[in-house]
């Protein structure tokens, strides 16, 4: 006869466990409980924020000029601005007039330079005539010194002479402006000179005959 070691209940023959308390007769015969494995947590990979790519300008890759780049003058201006400035140096306007007669850029500055030259010539002749008349009306006096003698003009003559010299300086400034414009590739009408059309019309006839 076998009895349960836990509760003392008589065990039936061949029983492996107590029918009263369920204690196994042979502890080694007890079924082994499967070991529950703790599921491993998946390793989280670090999240990286994707930076949006800026669109690439194809002109920048090719080395093209930016949009706000300074616009270069045309081919005619580039080739002839080195000689066009001579149009404002007296009679030297004849050099670009004949050497670059097919260049519209030179034609533009030659017209203004020839007008300036003609105006300066007329201005000089008129002022000298006026000064001679003023000197005749308001004559000066000879001043005698120990070593030399000089002619002292009248006050009226000196005032007009000063005004005429100021006009000559003004024409020189206009010529300098024209030289700078022609040398830097600009087409700008000169003050006062650009309003005189006669010389420009004569040169238009000259150019039309040579281009015919």
């Amino acid at each position: 006869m076998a009895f349960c070691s836990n509760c003392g209940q008589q065990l039936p023959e061949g029983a492996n466990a107590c029918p009263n308390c369920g204690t196994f007769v042979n502890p080694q015969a007890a079924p082994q409980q499967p070991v529950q494995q703790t599921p491993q947590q998946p390793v989280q990979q670090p999240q990286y924020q994707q930076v949006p790519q800026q669109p690439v300008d194809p002109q920048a890759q090719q080395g093209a000029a930016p949009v706000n780049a300074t616009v270069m003058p045309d081919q005619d201006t580039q080739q002839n601005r080195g000689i066009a400035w001579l149009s404002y140096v007296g009679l030297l306007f004849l050099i670009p007039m004949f050497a670059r007669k097919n260049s519209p850029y030179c034609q533009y500055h030659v017209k203004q330079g020839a007008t300036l030259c003609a105006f300066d010539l007329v201005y000089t002749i008129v002022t000298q005539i006026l000064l001679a008349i003023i000197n005749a009306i308001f004559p000066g006096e000879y001043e005698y010194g120990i070593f030399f003698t000089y002619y002292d003009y009248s006050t009226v003559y000196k005032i007009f002479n000063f005004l005429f010299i100021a006009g000559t300086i003004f024409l020189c400034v206009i010529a300098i402006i024209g030289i700078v414009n022609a040398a830097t590739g600009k087409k700008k009408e000169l003050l006062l000179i650009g309003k005189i059309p006669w010389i420009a019309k004569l040169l238009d006839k000259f150019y039309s005959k040579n281009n015919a």
Side-chain angles (χ1 to χ4, degrees), residues 118-188:
F119 185 86
D120 185 44
L121 179 62
V122 173
Y123 178 82
T124 303
I125 294 174
V126 171
T127 54
Q128 292 301 316
I129 293 175
L130 290 177
L131 287 176
I133 295 174
I134 293 171
N135 187 44
I137 298 175
F138 303 97
E141 297 179 354
Y142 285 97
E143 297 291 340
Y144 299 94
I146 300 176
F147 301 104
F148 56 89
T149 301
Y150 66 95
Y151 186 80
D152 186 18
Y153 291 97
S154 64
T155 304
V156 178
Y157 181 95
K158 292 179 180 178
I159 292 174
F160 277 92
N161 188 42
F162 175 78
L163 295 176
F164 293 153
I165 292 174
T168 303
I169 295 174
F170 175 73
L171 292 177
C172 291
V173 172
I174 292 179
I176 294 174
I177 294 174
I179 291 173
V180 173
N181 289 339
T184 55
K186 299 178 182 178
K187 286 184 178 180
K188 287 187 177 181

Side-chain angles (χ1 to χ4, degrees), residues 2-208:
F3 297 93
C4 177
S5 59
N6 183 32
C7 62
Q9 180 71 25
Q10 184 179 358
L11 298 176
E13 294 182 0
N16 293 328
C18 176
N20 183 33
C21 65
T23 302
F24 288 97
V25 177
N26 187 7
Q28 295 180 355
Q32 299 293 330
Q33 296 294 332
V35 179
Q36 296 182 357
Q37 296 181 354
T38 304
Q40 296 182 356
Q41 297 294 332
V43 180
Q44 295 183 356
Q45 298 294 333
Q47 299 293 329
Y48 296 97
Q49 185 178 3
Q50 185 176 4
V51 179
Q53 295 182 356
Q54 297 295 333
V56 180
D57 189 0
Q59 291 184 350
Q61 291 182 346
Q62 298 176 2
V67 177
N68 295 329
T70 304
V71 179
M72 296 299 293
D74 56 19
Q75 186 176 4
D76 177 42
T77 302
Q78 288 181 333
Q79 291 179 352
N80 297 296
R81 64 182 180 177
I83 191 175
W85 65 271
L86 293 175
S87 303
Y88 301 96
V89 188
L91 293 176
L92 293 182
F93 74 87
L94 295 172
I95 296 177
M97 176 180 174
F98 289 99
R100 298 291 189 273
K101 58 186 177 181
N102 294 325
S103 168
Y105 184 73
C106 283
Q107 291 178 12
Y108 178 85
H109 288 288
V110 165
K111 293 176 184 178
Q112 292 201 115
T115 302
L116 177 61
C117 182
F119 185 86
D120 185 44
L121 179 62
V122 173
Y123 178 82
T124 303
I125 294 174
V126 171
T127 54
Q128 292 301 316
I129 293 175
L130 290 177
L131 287 176
I133 295 174
I134 293 171
N135 187 44
I137 298 175
F138 303 97
E141 297 179 354
Y142 285 97
E143 297 291 340
Y144 299 94
I146 300 176
F147 301 104
F148 56 89
T149 301
Y150 66 95
Y151 186 80
D152 186 18
Y153 291 97
S154 64
T155 304
V156 178
Y157 181 95
K158 292 179 180 178
I159 292 174
F160 277 92
N161 188 42
F162 175 78
L163 295 176
F164 293 153
I165 292 174
T168 303
I169 295 174
F170 175 73
L171 292 177
C172 291
V173 172
I174 292 179
I176 294 174
I177 294 174
I179 291 173
V180 173
N181 289 339
T184 55
K186 299 178 182 178
K187 286 184 178 180
K188 287 187 177 181
E189 188 179 87
L190 294 179
L191 180 65
L192 181 66
I193 301 302
K195 305 298 182 181
I196 302 176
W198 303 294
I199 303 298
K201 291 181 179 180
L202 291 175
L203 289 174
D204 284 335
K205 295 180 180 180
F206 168 79
Y207 286 124
S208 62

